[in-house]
Amino acid sequence: MLNFFLILLLFIIHVSASDSKVSRHEPSPSESYFMSIWHNRLYLYSAAALVFGSWFAVKMALKKKSFSKDIGPWVYKAMKKKNNCSDKDTVVHVSGVKIFYGSQTGTAKGFAVELSEEVKTLGIPAEMTDMKDYDPDDQLADECTSKSVCVFIVATYTDGQPTENAEWFCKWLEEASTDFRYGKTYLKGLRYAVFGLGNSVYVGHFNTVGKNVDKWLWMLSGMRIMTRGEGDCNVVKSRNGSIQADFLAWKVKFLNRLQALAKGEKKSCSGNCKTGGTCKNKRKDRQMMEEEKAALQNVSSEEELIESSSDEDESGLQDEKKSGSVVDMEDLGNIMNSAKKAMGKEEGRGDAQMVKLSKSNGVKKIEDEEERREMITPALREALTKQGYKLIGSHSGVKLCRWTKSMLRGRGGCYKHTFYGIESHRCMETTPSLACANKCVFCWRHHTNPVGTEWRWKMDPAEKILQDAVEKHQNMIRQFRGVPGVKPERYEEGLAVKHCALSLVGEPIMYPEINTFIRLLHSHHISSFLVTNAQFPQEIRSLEPVTQLYVSVDASTKDSLKKIDRPLFKDFWPRFLDSLKALGEKRQRTVYRLTLVKAWNVEEMQAYSELIALGQPDFIEVKGVTYCGESSASSLTMANVPWHQEVVAFVQQLADMLPQYEIACEHEHSNCLLIAHTKFKVEGEWWTWIDYERFQELVQAHEESGGQQSFSALDYIAKTPSCALFGASEQGFDPADTRFQRRNKTKDISGC
């Protein structure tokens, strides 16, 4: 455009110069006017050019603005598309979380579900995987490159073995960790975290599976993103009060660590920077700890928020507790030394807090009574309440037996009514200790009760337990008022408790004040039937006289007892034998309680006869196992329940091997028979029933004499009715009642 104007301007000047040379004569006025215009035409042309240029410039500016408006949306869309492409190219540090669980009773699976939901709330994909449905040989190596984080929530089962659904996974992992064909870097790049579930009562097997999985993954070059967490079912030693609280503490730390990984942050600084500078992560870590403490405020206000680890203790994790980081190898030696010292201190504290079961069953009072934890955790309380238990205080419970309900309606009593004359509608089934030292395969509580080998919980007074037990029992009886079929006279009698079966659940003899509790029962004219699992011989010896003392003899050999009872004590067999000897030293009525489990213990006839000779019990109850439904904690099925005819055949063979014993009674409805010592057969008639009034007189005299005046089982016997005898047509059913046959209804299997 500028070139055009310059050429035009030069042309005008040239024409003007040539014209000025041609014109030399004198012009007229009009010619003079035009001549002046002609001579000044350069200025006119310049002005015209200026006007034209201005007009052209304005026009081009307007046209450019219009073009910009039209092309703008297309430019925006193109830029947006470009930005989206750049977002897609952003580095993803965590593509998702895969949660593997190995569960037997459902606790680990429940934790996996809980963690999965929490991870999803962070906007990170989460996937749950049952270990039995996962092939590690084909799939686990893929996790090394998928940028996912793998979480292993695994429980330890019997004898430190993995749960059934985790057996193959653990077997493969163990073999791969030592197989040169896989190599030490087979899982390099795999980011993982482990949370184990166990019970510290099993000293030699506590969280074995979690420890092994953690070790095997590390041996294959897996990268542990945080310290292994260990949940403890033993509320006494659990760092946070319960296994649920242990998991919550670990979960809070895991989620914080996961968020850091998702942002691309690597291993957190321990706070001891070699350069001596200030750590940038201290403020963040302090904030994370405050959030963790706030999250656990409702769970445990006394415990510090740290995850459990078999290799590290509280004092050894001070730096890590500040940062939530993985321990460096160079710091491991110092931490181990600190951990050993702290462990020794902790054991000292634990011993100070423990209540030993002394020979007199007295209680060693301790100063820090308030600091000990309750036996019943909130989760356990919920589970037992759902099962119909009326919980008392922090470690006791009462429940209405189905035979109590049956006898209120005149439909017959339990086998104790047939064998010993108990009035079932006046019997209270309770326990002062929900904890047990065994985890029997046929436990009808499905192992919802706690376990332990010694008393280390808060303790309620015996007076309070008995008062609340009677009150709750009476309230349950009152619910039957006006119910069709309930006999009014039996309803009134049922409100007055006459018998107490200390066989509800757990190990009553573990309760340190058991002797006080028994004396209270007798002072209220309530008879006592105490059942023990033959693991506390000293407590049996120091026990006050009871109406009838039972010992459960669930097997006759060491191997079968371990298989059936699954005891917590390592020396369970010597304890078992010593308990039978202690029983033989008692002067009051004693009973062996044999539970037959078909294909497990029904063929050990000779061994049973030897155990009977060891303890010389007054009576031997032989009962077929009661199937309580499918349970993930037990492999028992209906195939293990013997028929009544099979129980009768077993008892007959056993009685033939015992020269001083004979079959006395039968209760077909309970699939139970009674073998009695011949000393209870007086002049050809059985006297297996109990004179309860006479017993109360004898035990009162014993108390008043300070234990000097003793008495024996033969001092309070009563004659057995004919309907209860073995071979009678009634088969143990009281003819005063009416037998009720259930049809097409679920059988009620509760009761003793």
Side-chain angles (χ1 to χ4, degrees):
M1 183 62 65
L2 292 175
N3 293 334
F4 171 77
F5 282 118
L6 289 174
I7 293 171
L8 179 62
L9 184 60
L10 291 174
F11 176 76
I12 294 172
I13 294 172
H14 176 72
V15 173
S16 177
S18 61
D19 289 343
S20 63
K21 290 179 181 180
V22 173
S23 191
R24 297 289 184 184
H25 64 280
E26 190 70 21
S28 63
S30 58
E31 289 178 348
S32 178
Y33 173 74
F34 286 109
M35 285 299 293
S36 63
I37 293 176
W38 177 254
H39 288 300
N40 294 306
R41 62 185 182 278
L42 175 62
Y43 301 104
L44 293 175
Y45 293 155
S46 299
L50 181 62
V51 172
F52 176 79
S54 300
W55 169 81
F56 186 79
V58 171
K59 186 176 181 180
M60 291 300 294
L62 293 174
K63 188 175 181 180
K64 186 176 182 181
K65 185 177 180 181
S66 176
F67 175 80
S68 177
K69 186 182 294 185
D70 293 338
I71 202 68
W74 298 96
V75 175
Y76 172 77
K77 290 179 182 179
M79 291 298 294
K80 185 177 181 181
K81 185 175 182 181
K82 184 177 180 181
N83 291 336
N84 288 340
C85 293
S86 65
D87 290 341
K88 290 181 181 178
D89 295 336
T90 302
V91 177
V92 177
H93 298 285
V94 177
S95 62
V97 176
K98 283 195 174 182
I99 306 170
F100 300 86
Y101 64 87
S103 181
Q104 189 70 29
T105 61
T107 305
K109 183 178 180 180
F111 287 166
V113 172
E114 183 179 337
L115 182 61
S116 175
E117 296 300 323
E118 292 281 356
V119 171
K120 289 177 182 177
T121 59
L122 299 178
I124 301 174
E127 177 185 348
M128 282 177 50
T129 302
D130 191 332
M131 285 183 167
K132 70 179 180 181
D133 301 326
Y134 189 84
D135 189 350
D137 200 15
D138 294 338
Q139 299 173 276
L140 193 57
D142 296 337
E143 310 299 343
C144 301
T145 56
S146 64
K147 295 187 177 181
S148 61
V149 173
C150 295
V151 180
F152 299 88
I153 303 178
V154 289
T156 299
Y157 198 41
T158 308
D159 294 333
Q161 297 300 311
T163 57
E164 293 178 4
N165 69 323
E167 282 181 354
W168 165 245
F169 186 96
C170 293
K171 180 179 176 61
W172 177 90
L173 197 59
E174 180 182 14
E175 293 176 351
S177 65
T178 56
D179 193 337
F180 71 93
R181 291 171 296 182
Y182 287 96
K184 297 299 182 183
T185 60
Y186 183 70
L187 295 180
K188 187 174 183 180
L190 173 70
R191 295 179 294 179
Y192 74 92
V194 176
F195 182 83
L197 293 82
N199 194 321
S200 58
V201 173
Y202 295 94
V203 179
H205 305 300
F206 175 55
N207 259 313
T208 301
V209 177
K211 295 173 185 176
N212 286 338
V213 169
D214 188 20
K215 178 182 69 175
W216 295 329
L217 291 170
W218 177 81
M219 290 174 64
L220 291 169
S221 297
M223 185 178 71
R224 186 190 299 113
I225 65 170
M226 62 182 293
T227 309
R228 178 181 67 251
E230 294 184 353
D232 192 352
C233 290
N234 182 8
V235 297
V236 175
K237 291 190 175 181
S238 168
R239 292 184 182 275
N240 300 285
S242 68
I243 192 169
Q244 288 80 13
D246 290 336
F247 176 71
L248 177 59
W250 177 86
K251 182 183 69 174
V252 171
K253 280 184 170 277
F254 171 78
L255 294 176
N256 286 331
R257 184 74 181 109
L258 182 64
Q259 287 178 299
L261 289 174
K263 295 176 182 177
E265 297 179 15
K266 296 184 178 180
K267 177 182 174 182
S268 302
C269 175
S270 64
N272 300 322
C273 301
K274 295 181 181 179
T275 59
T278 58
C279 180
K280 296 179 181 180
N281 292 328
K282 281 186 177 180
R283 186 178 301 172
K284 292 183 179 179
D285 295 330
R286 193 179 301 114
Q287 183 178 356
M288 287 166 58
M289 285 302 301
E290 291 176 357
E291 294 175 357
E292 292 170 7
K293 290 180 180 179
L296 286 170
Q297 188 173 4
N298 295 330
V299 180
S300 176
S301 59
E302 299 177 357
E303 298 296 322
E304 290 182 316
L305 177 61
I306 55 175
E307 65 225 8
S308 59
S309 171
S310 61
D311 300 326
E312 302 160 355
D313 211 280
E314 296 181 13
S315 61
L317 282 175
Q318 290 302 317
D319 291 337
E320 186 175 1
K321 187 165 63 175
K322 294 178 182 178
S323 63
S325 63
V326 181
V327 180
D328 289 328
M329 289 299 294
E330 58 266 24
D331 298 329
L332 189 58
N334 295 331
I335 291 178
M336 289 297 293
N337 292 332
S338 301
K340 289 179 181 178
K341 294 179 181 179
M343 194 175 295
K345 293 180 181 179
E346 186 181 42
E347 289 176 356
R349 291 196 302 268
D351 293 339
Q353 292 182 359
M354 181 173 56
V355 177
K356 294 288 187 180
L357 303 181
S358 63
K359 288 186 177 180
S360 61
N361 266 306
V363 184
K364 288 187 178 181
K365 298 292 183 181
I366 58 177
E367 296 179 358
D368 51 352
E369 174 75 21
E370 303 84 15
E371 297 181 2
R372 286 185 289 153
R373 294 168 178 163
E374 295 185 355
M375 179 188 295
I376 307 177
T377 63
L380 179 60
R381 184 177 296 275
E382 181 181 357
L384 292 174
T385 302
K386 190 179 294 184
Q387 295 178 30
Y389 288 86
K390 304 299 180 184
L391 301 179
I392 303 166
S394 63
H395 55 75
S396 309
V398 63
K399 189 178 182 182
L400 204 62
C401 174
R402 75 173 179 108
W403 291 108
T404 301
K405 307 172 189 177
S406 178
M407 203 161 190
L408 283 171
R409 296 177 174 179
R411 295 178 177 178
C414 69
Y415 70 88
K416 292 189 183 72
H417 170 68
T418 300
F419 297 169
Y420 317 117
I422 275 185
E423 298 173 85
S424 301
H425 63 298
R426 302 185 67 183
C427 180
M428 176 179 68
E429 191 175 19
T430 186
T431 181
S433 171
L434 291 165
C436 187
N438 290 345
K439 300 191 76 173
C440 305
V441 295
F442 50 75
C443 179
W444 25 358
R445 318 306 173 192
H446 296 309
H447 310 106
T448 49
N449 56 305
V451 292
T453 57
E454 56 197 352
W455 192 274
R456 302 188 69 174
W457 303 277
K458 285 184 178 180
M459 188 173 63
D460 302 324
E463 295 82 0
K464 178 65 173 175
I465 295 174
L466 179 59
Q467 179 183 346
D468 288 358
V470 172
E471 181 180 340
K472 290 179 182 294
H473 176 80
Q474 290 174 336
N475 289 337
M476 288 186 285
I477 293 291
R478 289 190 181 97
Q479 294 176 4
F480 285 84
R481 183 171 186 173
V483 174
V486 173
K487 294 187 175 183
E489 65 278 9
R490 290 194 177 178
Y491 170 79
E492 294 298 331
E493 291 173 349
L495 292 173
V497 179
K498 187 177 180 181
H499 315 286
C500 180
L502 294 167
S503 60
L504 178 62
V505 68
E507 181 64 83
I509 209 169
M510 283 182 66
Y511 176 51
E513 290 191 352
I514 185 63
N515 282 328
T516 302
F517 188 81
I518 290 172
R519 286 193 291 267
L520 286 171
L521 286 173
H522 297 160
S523 67
H524 287 79
H525 288 82
I526 300 174
S527 64
S528 52
F529 290 76
L530 189 147
V531 181
T532 177
N533 289 316
Q535 290 296 299
F536 297 93
Q538 289 303 114
E539 283 63 50
I540 292 176
R541 289 189 172 92
S542 61
L543 191 67
E544 291 283 318
V546 294
T547 309
Q548 190 156 283
L549 178 61
Y550 289 77
V551 166
S552 293
V553 182
D554 301 323
S556 58
T557 66
K558 182 179 180 179
D559 291 339
S560 58
L561 186 69
K562 182 179 181 180
K563 181 180 179 182
I564 294 174
D565 279 5
R566 298 189 292 190
L568 274 64
F569 284 108
K570 288 186 176 181
D571 58 340
F572 66 92
W573 186 245
R575 283 177 168 272
F576 178 75
L577 297 178
D578 197 20
S579 295
L580 299 185
K581 293 177 183 178
L583 191 78
E585 300 168 8
K586 310 298 288 187
R587 297 199 62 198
Q588 290 73 45
R589 294 167 66 106
T590 56
V591 183
Y592 274 15
R593 193 178 197 180
L594 275 63
T595 301
L596 297 186
V597 184
K598 194 174 179 179
W600 285 27
N601 63 356
V602 296
E603 298 176 355
E604 303 168 352
M605 204 73 64
Q606 182 61 38
Y608 274 119
S609 64
E610 294 173 358
L611 292 180
I612 292 169
L614 182 65
Q616 289 291 314
D618 295 324
F619 305 98
I620 305 162
E621 292 178 4
V622 184
K623 187 177 185 297
V625 66
T626 301
Y627 180 64
C628 305
E630 183 179 354
S631 169
S632 56
S634 172
S635 58
L636 197 71
T637 67
M638 277 298 296
N640 299 117
V641 180
W643 295 97
H644 184 64
Q645 293 82 355
E646 294 174 314
V647 177
V648 171
F650 176 90
V651 171
Q652 288 175 333
Q653 294 180 50
L654 182 61
D656 291 340
M657 301 176 68
L658 306 173
Q660 295 181 319
Y661 293 86
E662 295 180 10
I663 304 176
C665 303
E666 175 185 21
H667 191 254
E668 186 267 343
H669 199 174
S670 295
N671 198 12
C672 185
L673 283 88
L674 179 70
I675 300 175
H677 197 283
T678 51
K679 67 183 179 182
F680 291 94
K681 197 171 187 179
V682 182
E683 297 179 357
E685 295 182 327
W686 285 109
W687 288 64
T688 63
W689 276 35
I690 299 172
D691 185 340
Y692 294 100
E693 295 301 325
R694 178 59 181 159
F695 171 78
Q696 294 297 343
E697 294 173 1
L698 292 169
V699 77
Q700 184 177 355
H702 173 80
E703 286 290 327
E704 292 175 352
S705 66
Q708 297 299 317
Q709 185 174 337
S710 183
F711 59 97
S712 68
L714 294 175
D715 293 332
Y716 55 101
I717 58 175
K719 187 177 179 180
T720 309
S722 59
C723 65
L725 299 177
F726 176 67
S729 59
E730 295 88 353
Q731 291 187 297
F733 189 83
D734 193 339
D737 292 328
T738 303
R739 185 137 187 198
F740 178 77
Q741 299 286 352
R742 292 181 180 272
R743 294 182 180 179
N744 300 325
K745 287 188 177 182
T746 303
K747 185 178 180 181
D748 186 352
I749 47 124
S750 63
C752 56

